[in-house]
Structures are given as structure tokens and as C-alpha cells.
């Protein structure tokens, strides 16, 4: 993708999310996140559970609970006039953004699907709403939408509670792809799938990017990220600590942040060495580097927060070398 061909679909600047809790305290779930996402590009947002990935996704969709406070901006350019997703009202988000300009593959498909309607009925309704498919063409279009996400046609007339976790995930993926939104947000899209279906789902998501859409993939599955991502953003304790090209992250110079390197080293096909300790509580973060208590490179300098320079935030970078 040449620079001349780059079209920014999403521009995030200083995005922060805090939750008000009892006693007047605040929990900083996402802090000062910035990135751009272009048409035809897949950005994989990776990190351990509780690092803020899904909160960031909810902020982009306007689905945060009432005790959330946001700061910064997240401007969506694709599919119409620019709109700041953090400032937009619910009417705008519901009528013009969700489904039409942002497609969502949810983390919990069983909760996302309507329990009293069959998968076929839900796909048909979404097709009518988003694509105005004529009634006479609806059956064929519904089956084509299911096939696009590798959902078996023989299960279309089943209700969500009759589906396995993997089938529910594929049904949710099929719904997300219907509108051909310029931005697809996939929140743990391979949950509950066996390896073959993980690869198949990842490849389908990659095809959506190759067709010119922007793809933000939130995942624990580094193998899936390696398969389809153009860039990787590593989150820890609510912050992006490294942003790198996927080729460099997975097989070139390797990650420079000790936590990002640790995620790779924990994989069975790599060193299979887990990162010691546990992530910090977001309501009790240290003033300095949040990873310092788990980092063998930590020194007194880590008592101050390392700034993010657009690539990495660390006082003690890993030496370049193959990941």
C-alpha cells in the first residue's frame, strides 16, 4: 500500500476512558491512546485480559456504561462525513454509524444474537435494513451472507441457544459483514473456534481489508494476528506500549518493549515462557511504568512514566533481533 493510496478511516487521538466508582474514585481503563487506521489495513490490538482492549472498542461504538467518562477524540472518516465517535449522540450512532459505518464482530456472540429469532431471520432483517435487498432475493442473499462467514446453511433455521459457541461466533460474524461497513471492529472474533475455523475466520476478515475496508482486530490470539495483521498495537494497563509493523513484530527485529516481547515468548511455538506475575489493578496503577513489577529490566528510572513516542513507551528497550 503506497502512501498515495492511503485513506484514513479512523483517527484516534488521546482516547481515555475512566469509570467513576464508589467513594469518588476513578478507574483508568484506557489512557491516552492514539493511532490511525487506513482503508485496506488490519491493526491488531493485543494484550492480556483486563488491559483495556474491549473498553476501547466499546468507546468507539458508544456502548460504555453511564459511569464512564471519556476524553480525546476518535474521528471516523469512512462512509460519510467525519464524525467524532466520542462526541456523537446516541441517535447518530444508532442510525448512521453502527452496522452502516462500523460493523461489529462481538466478543460474546450469544449475548449479541436475538434469542427468540432464528439465524436466518436475523440475517434477513439485517439485509433488508442495511442493503434494501428485495424480498424475492432475500433467501439467496441470506444464504450467501451465511456462507461468507462459513456458517453452515443447515443451521440457519436454528435459534442461538441451539448453536455451539463456534457457530454462534460465525453467525455474529456473518451479521457484521452484511453492511460492508468501511470499518470492521472484531472483538475476539476467534473465541470458541477450533484452529481450522480460526484460520478460516481470520482469512475472511483479511479479505474484508483487502477489499478496501479498515479492520481493527482485538484479540488474545497472536497466531491469528500474525496471520492477517499489517500492524500490531500492544496494550498494557490501559496504555499502548508498542505500535509496530506486523512483519517486524513477529519475525523481523522483534518487539522492543519487554512486555510485548514477553507475549511472544509465552507462545508454545516460541520459548513457551510465561510472563511472571499478574497485570495490575486498573484502579491502583503506579505513578511510573505499570509493567515494572513484572520486568527483569526495571530500575529506579521506571518510577517515572515512560512517554510513548509513536512506536514504544519504555525506558529499557529490548535489543533488536529476531523475535
Amino acid at each position: 500500500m503506497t502512501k498515495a493510496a492511503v485513506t484514513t478511516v479512523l483517527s484516534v487521538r488521546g482516547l481515555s476512558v475512566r469509570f467513576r466508582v464508589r467513594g469518588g474514585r476513578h478507574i483508568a481503563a484506557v489512557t491516552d491512546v492514539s493511532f490511525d487506521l487506513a482503508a485496506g489495513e488490519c491493526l491488531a490490538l493485543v494484550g492480556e485480559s483486563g488491559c483495556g482492549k474491549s473498553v476501547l472498542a466499546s468507546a468507539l461504538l458508544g456502548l460504555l456504561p453511564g459511569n464512564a467518562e471519556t476524553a480525546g477524540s476518535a474521528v471516523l472518516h469512512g462512509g460519510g462525513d467525519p464524525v467524532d465517535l466520542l462526541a456523537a449522540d446516541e441517535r447518530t450512532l444508532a442510525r448512521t454509524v453502527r452496522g452502516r459505518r462500523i460493523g461489529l464482530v462481538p466478543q460474546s456472540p450469544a449475548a449479541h444474537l436475538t434469542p427468540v429469532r432464528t439465524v436466518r431471520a436475523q440475517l434477513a432483517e439485517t439485509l433488508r435494513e442495511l442493503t434494501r435487498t428485495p424480498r424475492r432475493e432475500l433467501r439467496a442473499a441470506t444464504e450467501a451472507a451465511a456462507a461468507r462467514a462459513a456458517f453452515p446453511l443447515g443451521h440457519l433455521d436454528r435459534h442461538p441457544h441451539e448453536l455451539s459457541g463456534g457457530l454462534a461466533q460465525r453467525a455474529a460474524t456473518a451479521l457484521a459483514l452484511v453492511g460492508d461497513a468501511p470499518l470492521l471492529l472484531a472483538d475476539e472474533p476467534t473465541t470458541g473456534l477450533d484452529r481450522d475455523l480460526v484460520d478460516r475466520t481470520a482469512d475472511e476478515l483479511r479479505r474484508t481489508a483487502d477489499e478496501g475496508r479498515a479492520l481493527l482486530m482485538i484479540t488474545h490470539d497472536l497466531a491469528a494476528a500474525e496471520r492477517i495483521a499489517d500492524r500490531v498495537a500492544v496494550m498494557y494497563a490501559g496504555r499502548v506500549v508498542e505500535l509496530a509493523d506486523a512483519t517486524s513484530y513477529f519475525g523481523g527485529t522483534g518487539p522492543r518493549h519487554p512486555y510485548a516481547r514477553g507475549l511472544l515468548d509465552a507462545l508454545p511455538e516460541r520459548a513457551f515462557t510465561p510472563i511472571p506475575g499478574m497485570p495490575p489493578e486498573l484502579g491502583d496503577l503506579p505513578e511510573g511504568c505499570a509493567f515494572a513489577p513484572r520486568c527483569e529490566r526495571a530500575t529506579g528510572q521506571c518510577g517515572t512514566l515512560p512517554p510513548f513516542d509513536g512506536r514504544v513507551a519504555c525506558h529499557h528497550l529490548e535489543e533488536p533481533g529476531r523475535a
Side-chain angles (χ1 to χ4, degrees):
M1 187 165 52
T2 65
K3 288 186 177 180
V6 170
T7 301
T8 300
V9 173
L10 178 67
S11 183
V12 175
R13 293 291 180 272
L15 192 157
S16 299
V17 180
R18 301 196 309 167
F19 295 107
R20 299 185 305 276
V21 294
R22 290 180 180 178
R25 295 173 54 244
H26 288 83
I27 294 176
V30 177
T31 301
D32 199 25
V33 170
S34 298
F35 62 85
D36 289 324
L37 184 57
E41 180 185 30
C42 172
L43 174 64
L45 192 61
V46 304
E48 293 168 293
S49 295
C51 70
K53 304 187 304 297
S54 291
V55 173
L56 188 151
S58 295
L60 295 178
L61 290 164
L63 296 176
L64 292 170
N67 67 330
E69 299 174 351
T70 62
S73 64
V75 179
L76 178 65
H77 298 277
D81 293 334
V83 56
D84 186 345
L85 300 171
L86 302 186
D89 57 41
E90 174 58 24
R91 180 184 177 90
T92 299
L93 293 169
R95 294 198 173 190
T96 67
V97 173
R98 299 186 199 120
R100 291 173 171 82
R101 298 180 66 178
I102 303 179
L104 171 66
V105 180
Q107 184 175 9
S108 303
H112 186 73
L113 300 169
T114 304
V116 296
R117 306 191 67 200
T118 65
V119 175
R120 184 189 298 276
Q122 293 180 63
L123 276 172
E125 179 183 39
T126 304
L127 281 161
R128 285 198 303 268
E129 178 67 24
L130 298 184
T131 68
R132 305 300 180 188
T133 302
R135 186 173 295 276
R136 66 182 179 277
E137 300 173 10
L138 204 53
R139 184 178 183 86
T142 298
E143 294 181 354
R148 189 176 180 187
F151 186 88
L153 302 187
H155 291 70
L156 273 173
D157 294 312
R158 295 189 175 187
H159 292 81
H161 72 272
E162 299 176 292
L163 305 177
S164 66
L167 284 176
Q169 186 69 65
R170 280 184 276 169
T173 301
L175 287 166
L177 295 176
V178 164
D180 286 329
L183 172 61
L184 187 63
L185 200 163
D187 189 1
E188 300 290 356
T190 58
T191 298
L193 305 183
D194 61 36
R195 197 71 242 170
D196 286 344
L197 285 174
V198 165
D199 292 344
R200 192 168 176 178
T201 299
D203 290 346
E204 179 55 53
L205 292 173
R206 179 67 245 183
R207 276 192 289 274
T208 68
D210 291 340
E211 291 168 358
R213 297 171 190 86
L215 172 61
L216 179 59
M217 180 180 179
I218 295 169
T219 185
H220 292 90
D221 190 339
L222 288 179
E226 182 176 9
R227 189 176 182 91
I228 69 170
D230 297 297
R231 290 188 297 151
V232 178
V234 182
M235 284 192 76
Y236 187 77
R239 296 179 180 270
V240 171
V241 296
E242 184 158 1
L243 182 60
D245 289 339
T247 51
S248 296
Y249 182 87
F250 289 109
T253 58
R256 301 297 310 280
H257 194 284
Y259 174 67
R261 181 67 62 91
L263 289 178
L264 279 188
D265 286 345
L267 295 176
E269 61 269 26
R270 305 243 181 181
F272 205 22
T273 304
I275 302 173
M278 296 292 291
E281 294 290 336
L282 293 177
D284 189 29
L285 294 177
E287 291 186 5
C289 175
F291 186 61
R294 306 173 71 187
C295 182
E296 62 181 16
R297 291 172 169 259
T299 66
Q301 187 180 11
C302 301
T304 61
L305 187 67
F308 181 69
D309 65 3
R311 294 175 297 177
V312 66
C314 184
H315 294 302
H316 306 291
L317 299 179
E318 294 277 357
E319 293 299 322
R322 285 197 62 82

